[in-house]
Amino acid sequence: MRVGAIDCGTNSIRLLIADASTETVNGRTVTRLNDVVRQMRIVRLGQGVDATGWLAQEALDRTFEATLEYAKLLRKHKVKKLRFVATSATRDAGNRQVFMDGIRDILGIEPEVITGDEEAELSFAGAVLAVGADESKTVVFDLGGGSTEFVLGTEDGVQAARSVNIGCVRLTERHMASAPATPDQIQRVEADTDAAIDSVLQSVPLEKATRAVAVAGTATTIAAAALGLKTYDSEVINGSSISVDTVQKTAEMLRSMTREERAALGYMHPGRVDVIGAGATIYARIMTRLHEITEGNIDSVTVSEHDILDGIALSQVR
């Protein structure tokens, strides 16, 4: 079955067209995805939403333009089933109906604004597709533009999940407008991150986790930096393991750079230049807290190139 999946977040809109198949492995039904097209556009749909509660017209225009490009690809590759999922920025926006109507007019399907809990479950499904699931208790965290999802699960599925409103775009706009970041800005981003993690602990027993998996653009960009890549290489990044100490050092490096210095990095997407400082700070704080909460059992993070986008595709088969 050829399926299409679109993930529209706070910072980017992404498309996956894949051929899906199922097989039985050790008594379990396993779904495989074979990529046909995988693309991303940075549209910053969540521009200003944290402050105003509304989607800006220029952000809507950028998103609709990218969706029109995706519609052409969906027709070209004769996709049979399509699911369009919108997350944090759209959940928070008072004028989200304008967005919904625009997407419906372009694609002819009803876009879904999913809850943080469903976003978490889809992220977990996509992440373990790439790095595998076993009896270990794995915490997957999906650090996006407007929110971060924490999911604890095993090969049997999700056990607990929580979505919190910390993300690279949201906290850049709220606290970290300058580059390099100042000590006060770093402290405020870390304080918001700590408060969010404390709220996660109320419903997700992170102390039981034995493995951490990180997904989405902040995580993969930090992996590229930590691995010393000259250009972005998804095959090298996917499945890589980065120590907590290395995450901290890499975060410090990225947030201490000017925007021009970040832009000159061969692996840095132009749409992440202004938000990677806050993103790296959130990411490093999450890893530090996981190390503390698990009493040192988690001392590294596995990075997955596959995430909610793959989960959206999988959901149409399962």
Side-chain angles (χ1 to χ4, degrees), residues 8-315:
C8 186
T10 300
N11 197 39
S12 66
I13 182 168
R14 300 180 299 151
L15 168 71
L16 172 61
I17 298 173
D19 289 327
S21 60
T22 58
E23 59 183 90
T24 302
V25 178
N26 297 326
R28 293 175 178 268
T29 300
V30 177
T31 303
R32 311 286 188 193
L33 295 176
N34 184 33
D35 287 14
V36 177
V37 173
R38 189 182 288 264
Q39 292 195 6
M40 178 187 73
R41 302 281 189 277
I42 299 288
V43 294
R44 196 64 59 83
L45 178 62
Q47 172 190 327
V49 169
D50 186 60
T52 67
W54 289 78
L55 297 168
Q57 187 59 54
E58 58 266 34
L60 286 166
D61 291 342
R62 292 192 298 266
T63 305
F64 293 154
E65 181 180 356
T67 306
L68 283 166
E69 294 177 17
Y70 289 170
K72 293 176 183 177
L73 289 168
L74 291 163
R75 289 193 296 269
K76 175 182 176 181
H77 292 283
K78 300 179 180 178
V79 169
K80 300 300 182 186
K81 294 183 71 175
L82 171 65
R83 188 178 182 192
F84 184 109
V85 165
T87 53
S88 177
T90 315
R91 280 198 299 267
D92 298 343
N95 61 337
R96 72 180 189 180
Q97 194 58 48
V98 176
F99 167 81
M100 302 281 281
D101 292 343
I103 297 298
R104 189 188 307 108
D105 289 345
I106 294 168
L107 294 176
I109 64 165
E110 192 69 27
E112 302 173 53
V113 181
I114 61 172
T115 65
D117 287 344
E118 185 172 5
E119 184 176 357
E121 291 182 9
L122 291 171
S123 293
F124 186 85
V128 299
L129 179 71
V131 299
D134 53 30
E135 295 179 356
S136 305
K137 290 190 183 297
T138 298
V139 58
V140 173
F141 63 97
D142 181 348
L143 199 173
S147 66
T148 298
E149 286 65 50
F150 291 82
V151 199
L152 185 70
T154 67
E155 61 184 359
D156 294 322
V158 173
Q159 297 182 341
R162 181 75 179 268
S163 178
V164 287
N165 282 339
I166 53 169
C168 60
V169 174
R170 189 185 296 272
L171 294 196
T172 295
E173 292 182 350
R174 189 182 293 178
H175 297 309
M176 200 176 276
S178 68
T182 67
D184 179 63
Q185 290 171 339
I186 295 167
Q187 185 177 36
R188 281 184 278 150
V189 170
E190 290 182 337
D192 279 9
T193 304
D194 279 337
I197 293 171
D198 290 343
S199 72
V200 170
L201 284 166
Q202 296 174 17
S203 56
V204 181
L206 296 176
E207 70 278 2
K208 296 181 179 179
T210 55
R211 179 174 71 158
V213 176
V215 301
T218 294
T220 56
T221 301
I222 288 175
L227 294 167
L229 300 185
K230 298 301 182 185
T231 59
Y232 193 92
D233 188 332
S234 59
E235 291 188 5
V236 174
I237 291 167
N238 188 51
S240 61
S241 180
I242 314 295
S243 71
V244 173
D245 183 58
T246 300
V247 168
Q248 292 284 7
K249 291 176 180 176
T250 306
E252 176 58 31
M253 177 192 75
L254 290 171
R255 68 189 176 212
S256 67
M257 289 179 166
T258 65
R259 289 186 176 86
E260 292 74 20
E261 289 170 333
R262 295 172 185 171
L265 297 170
Y267 53 78
M268 183 70 65
H269 191 287
R272 299 200 187 281
V273 167
D274 61 330
V275 296
I276 193 62
T281 303
I282 298 166
Y283 186 88
R285 190 61 189 160
I286 289 172
M287 287 309 304
T288 297
R289 289 292 307 274
L290 285 175
H291 182 70
E292 295 170 351
I293 291 165
T294 62
E295 297 182 343
N297 285 329
I298 289 180
D299 58 7
S300 64
V301 59
T302 301
V303 180
S304 173
E305 275 279 341
H306 301 271
D307 52 24
I308 185 174
L309 186 61
D310 302 78
I312 296 166
L314 288 170
S315 70

